[in-house]
Amino acid sequence: DAGVTQSPTHLIKTRGQHVTLRCSPISGHKSVSWYQQVLGQGPQFIFQYYEKEERGRGNFPDRFSARQFPNYSSELNVNALLLGDSALYLCASSLGQGDQPQHFGDGTRLSIL
Amino acid sequence: QKEVEQNSGPLSVPEGAIASLNCTYSDRGSQSFFWYRQYSGKSPELIMSIYSNGDKEDGRFTAQLNKASQYVSLLIRDSQPSDSATYLCAVNGRAARQLTFGSGTQLTVLP
């Protein structure tokens, strides 16, 4: 069975631009979460979506937004990119919200020039 | 105080030894606890989950949870060079809506 898939794998943008990252969960998983990981730190929670509704939001500015589609795939959007947005963006899926383990995709490495 | 704290390491153990990784958390209402392994340049891989006090064993891995002490640990028996990675402790808080990660412990297993 396919795991969590993310696209693109790498992306280079300049300051002020906008980016859209995509994620397809494991088949049967209805919850998708997004994380940002900078070098040397653990992943930081950005959003959780379950059944197409936002169920949790981390401490990130409004430039960050996301949505979940009827097929449970998800997009993360970041506007007005800053140098500090350079990071590995991780998507994780789980069967539902709550205590179920989350499984990560390979991530999208975003570099801002 | 950080919500989830881990010793950053690096931790070095010889091949065949037991590696012990520790994690403390601040939210007393936390419900579930996870250990992830992350190889350099890769994404986190789930290796253990634990929900109740005590020990949980899976192959060479044992997770230990003590909610009263707000402490969770991971033991790796018969450590192998392929176990060399960063180990991330993650805690699902009271609302169980997000995972909070520690900064990870870098483990090196020496041949």
Side-chain angles (χ1 to χ4, degrees), chain B residues 17-70:
Chain B
I18 296 175
S20 178
L21 305 164
N22 303 316
C23 173
T24 59
Y25 59 94
S26 61
D27 183 353
R28 190 168 285 278
S30 297
Q31 304 287 343
S32 50
F33 308 84
F34 306 92
W35 284 98
Y36 288 84
R37 177 175 62 197
Q38 187 171 27
Y39 292 113
S40 180
K42 302 295 186 181
S43 64
E45 173 192 9
L46 179 70
I47 53 173
M48 289 289 286
S49 57
I50 187 165
Y51 301 91
S52 55
N53 283 329
D55 294 359
K56 179 181 178 182
E57 186 174 320
D58 184 1
R60 295 187 296 111
F61 299 99
T62 299
Q64 300 173 317
L65 175 61
N66 184 326
K67 288 186 178 180
S69 300
Q70 296 175 242

